[in-house]
Amino acid sequence: MGDAQATTAPPTGTSTAAAPTAPPTVQERPRHDHADLEAHRRELTAHCYRMLGSAVDAEDAVQQTLVRAWRGLDRFDGRASLRTWLYRIATNVCLDELAGAKRRAMPVDVSAAPSEPVASSLGAPLEESVWLTPAPSARVLPEGDPADVAVAREQVRLAFVAVLQHLPPRQRAVLLLREVLRWSAEEVADLLGTTTASVNSALQRARATIAAREPRPGSPLDALDPEHAELLRAYVAAFEAYDMEALAQLLHAEVVQSMPPYALWLRGPEDVVAWHVGPGGGCRGSRLVPVDANGSPALAQYKPDPERPGVRRFWALHVLRSRDGRVGEITNFLDTRTPAVFGLPEHLEG
């Protein structure tokens, strides 16, 4: 995986006779600049997001990685590729960040039973570090070959990142480096300061943990699937009209709705509708703006601002999953940082 190392050019003289060529024994370190580091930002963000489960934390980790790399660039000797060197730094930054941290989760992982669709069920919001958060597709997916993009999309799905959070940090790193980045066991062992036997053992345990997790029912929406596109269109129409009868017709019998940072989650069309006409009634008159999160279409919700007539303010990011042709899961991420992360306006006029 090492880069080819350049040799110094042979000296030139003033004589018209050909000068003897010196053997290529003098080697130079590869020269890189800030642009070379920045070229890897997107794939590093995807790696850090899979490790940390937070788009904001991933951005911070990548920034720290690039700063460390820039400061140490004069010590980069080219024995490995620049990309490999950056991944080493990024993985260590993430492992430092995860030291002592609890795993991030979804509300269904925090509360064993669904909640009643009443205001008292909402409770107090839990701190941000508890929850898995979505990531803008544009920041974690590569550009170029559609086949590469399709593979990368599966590696940043919310369901996949959620399962990764069940692994201890070092197992998580081993799984990602071995299975996603295709590093050898020797390379991973060198990064983690351990043995190849230990790496192989950690990989087996990580695979077993993931295999034991029951897959979430349904599938993420696919922008290229006509059925999914129509389901999304119908959802937008029903929600913006606040037509609860139409919305209920779109929901799977076992639909789950959750609203991080609250631990509350609802099950079934009846309770979802009861919430919307009850405690969630302030969402009437909302507008939904299409965005792309974790490789799937999503919706940014702007609800009427009670203090500013004619203005709607960002409220939630709706991430849907399909199940048997209907909406099987609705996750409303109520994170006030979402507009900044996704490049969205805080308010909509008119």
Side-chain angles (χ1 to χ4, degrees), residues 110 123-131 260-263:
V110 174
L126 301 182
E127 60 187 44
E128 182 275 334
S129 61
V130 172
W131 305 114
Y262 297 95

Side-chain angles (χ1 to χ4, degrees), residues 224-282:
L224 301 180
D225 186 320
E227 184 179 274
H228 287 184
E230 175 57 24
L231 184 63
L232 190 66
R233 184 208 62 77
Y235 179 86
V236 170
F239 194 92
E240 290 192 338
Y242 227 65
D243 184 341
M244 291 298 108
E245 183 176 349
L247 183 65
Q249 292 298 315
L250 300 174
L251 304 180
H252 190 275
E254 295 295 319
V255 65
V256 168
Q257 179 176 356
S258 59
M259 292 168 277
Y262 297 95
L264 168 145
W265 61 279
L266 308 168
R267 171 175 284 157
E270 184 176 335
D271 280 3
V272 170
V273 168
W275 179 268
H276 281 87
V277 299

Side-chain angles (χ1 to χ4, degrees), residues 63-299:
Q63 190 60 32
Q64 189 177 158
T65 296
L66 296 180
V67 168
R68 288 188 187 182
W70 179 250
R71 290 173 176 170
L73 200 55
D74 62 334
R75 297 189 299 276
F76 174 60
D77 58 16
R79 285 180 294 177
S81 69
L82 180 67
R83 179 176 182 266
T84 297
W85 185 60
L86 289 172
Y87 269 107
R88 292 174 65 93
I89 299 172
T91 301
N92 281 317
V93 168
C94 290
L95 290 173
D96 290 344
E97 179 71 19
L98 290 168
K102 295 181 179 179
R103 73 176 178 88
R104 290 177 177 268
M106 300 292 280
V108 291
D109 298 319
V110 174
S111 302
S115 310
E116 294 294 322
V118 295
S120 59
S121 296
L122 198 59
L126 301 182
E127 60 187 44
E128 182 275 334
S129 61
V130 172
W131 305 114
L132 186 71
T133 69
S137 298
R139 297 193 183 183
V140 293
L141 290 182
E143 296 177 309
D145 189 330
D148 293 338
V149 174
V151 171
R153 184 178 290 115
E154 296 304 316
Q155 294 168 348
V156 295
R157 297 291 195 193
L158 270 171
F160 177 64
V161 179
V163 170
L164 288 175
Q165 306 311 301
H166 291 274
L167 301 176
R170 286 173 70 87
Q171 281 188 30
R172 198 180 310 169
V174 167
L175 183 79
L176 292 174
L177 293 169
R178 293 282 284 118
E179 305 266 287
V180 175
L181 298 179
R182 301 299 179 184
W183 282 27
S184 69
E186 292 76 11
E187 290 174 306
V188 178
D190 182 55
L191 188 157
L192 297 178
T194 186
T195 64
T196 56
S198 177
V199 166
N200 290 330
S201 176
L203 181 59
Q204 289 181 346
R205 294 196 302 273
R207 286 172 173 167
T209 298
I210 288 181
R213 303 293 307 175
E214 290 188 13
R216 290 164 62 189
S219 60
L221 296 187
D222 184 344
L224 301 180
D225 186 320
E227 184 179 274
H228 287 184
E230 175 57 24
L231 184 63
L232 190 66
R233 184 208 62 77
Y235 179 86
V236 170
F239 194 92
E240 290 192 338
Y242 227 65
D243 184 341
M244 291 298 108
E245 183 176 349
L247 183 65
Q249 292 298 315
L250 300 174
L251 304 180
H252 190 275
E254 295 295 319
V255 65
V256 168
Q257 179 176 356
S258 59
M259 292 168 277
Y262 297 95
L264 168 145
W265 61 279
L266 308 168
R267 171 175 284 157
E270 184 176 335
D271 280 3
V272 170
V273 168
W275 179 268
H276 281 87
V277 299
C283 291
R284 186 186 299 272
S286 293
R287 292 291 175 265
L288 299 178
V289 176
V291 296
D292 208 274
N294 296 77
S296 295
L299 300 161

Side-chain angles (χ1 to χ4, degrees), residues 42-53:
R42 189 176 298 198
E43 61 176 316
L44 290 173
T45 302
H47 179 61
C48 292
Y49 175 64
R50 288 187 288 261
M51 283 289 295
L52 301 174

